[in-house]
Amino acid sequence: MDRSEWAENVILADADYVDGVAFNLIVNFERMLGRRIPQADLAQWVECVALDGGMPMAETAATGAEGQPTLQVVLVHRHGSNALQNFAPSDYADELNGKAVQTRVGECLFTVVQTEDMAPKGQLMSDLLDAVCQQPSVRRLMVVPDEQTVAQLRPVLQHHDSEQRRTTLLTMQPMGGSAWRHVLLGFSLMAALGISSREIDEKLRE
């Protein structure tokens, strides 16, 4: 990817991991709430992650500098996978890669990256993170790795730590002892699945 293609705000996410977490939430909350949970709204999830990462609401539908999208979402997935199973839209080639969508934080552009056959996805995530962190144009970075990859990404984040860039790590488990911000991934996924804390509280009081 050319340097000029990077937006000021970037989400780098392990798509397989996020899809798996969404599936687990669907199964658990359908049992708990006693209703069908629909597929997660991908645009809404991206919007929530962006807000978690410090992006402001967009006052207009304008794009970034020189017509670039305000937000770039890089989805990394394993070789042989063609689509997300628990999100809509879902098809990597036909519905996501190179496609833009308007959100409350501005225009979002999706980029889909597939691992090579038998290549470790963690290394690809690390290489992409390193490439993004080298771009001075990136002001906000939101990273969503799986549990096994977090340790591999820490040295990259530490090496590129900068006061000029706000970095947020989203995981399912709390993490401490880091210079970057941390947000629990479950909250954004619950919002995208249409699950509210109010509904959960009401169910627990029954």
Side-chain angles (χ1 to χ4, degrees):
M1 300 175 70
D2 186 79
R3 172 175 298 193
S4 62
E5 295 178 349
W6 292 105
E8 289 189 1
N9 308 282
V10 175
I11 295 175
L12 173 62
D14 182 328
D16 303 311
Y17 171 69
V18 175
D19 200 31
V21 174
F23 172 76
N24 290 334
L25 290 176
I26 289 172
V27 171
N28 291 331
F29 279 105
E30 281 188 339
R31 185 183 303 115
M32 176 183 180
L33 300 176
R35 68 171 177 86
R36 178 182 176 275
I37 304 295
Q39 288 183 313
D41 184 322
L42 184 59
Q44 185 175 0
W45 177 69
V46 164
E47 181 182 285
C48 290
V49 171
L51 292 171
D52 285 340
M55 282 190 69
M57 294 284 195
E59 295 182 2
T60 67
T63 56
E66 301 180 356
Q68 288 185 335
T70 305
L71 173 65
Q72 186 167 4
V73 179
V74 182
L75 299 175
V76 181
H77 69 93
R78 66 182 180 277
H79 182 83
S81 174
N82 299 317
L84 294 159
Q85 301 301 310
N86 301 284
F87 284 85
S90 61
D91 190 281
Y92 291 131
D94 295 336
E95 298 180 304
L96 295 177
N97 193 37
K99 302 298 191 298
V101 63
Q102 193 64 41
T103 72
R104 290 183 300 169
V105 297
E107 186 183 43
C108 164
L109 176 67
F110 288 97
T111 301
V112 177
V113 182
Q114 177 181 256
T115 61
E116 297 296 330
D117 187 19
M118 303 300 291
K121 187 167 47 180
Q123 185 59 54
L124 178 57
M125 286 283 292
S126 181
D127 291 344
L128 286 170
L129 179 61
D130 182 67
V132 173
C133 287
Q134 292 186 50
Q135 309 308 316
S137 60
V138 178
R139 299 302 181 187
R140 295 184 186 87
L141 171 61
M142 290 68 76
V143 186
V144 192
D146 66 18
E147 290 93 341
Q148 290 73 34
T149 308
V150 172
Q152 189 173 351
L153 299 186
R154 278 180 177 271
V156 181
L157 291 171
Q158 292 169 346
H159 178 71
H160 292 290
D161 187 37
S162 170
E163 294 182 356
Q164 310 305 315
R165 181 180 58 252
R166 173 172 174 152
T167 300
T168 304
L169 190 67
L170 294 96
T171 64
M172 286 300 290
Q173 300 297 328
M175 296 183 63
S178 61
W180 49 88
R181 295 166 179 81
H182 178 257
V183 176
L184 292 178
L185 174 62
F187 294 128
S188 57
L189 284 173
M190 287 172 61
L193 290 166
I195 302 168
S196 68
S197 57
R198 182 176 181 177
E199 181 183 14
I200 296 173
D201 290 341
E202 290 176 351
K203 192 67 177 180
L204 292 174
R205 286 197 297 268
E206 290 181 357

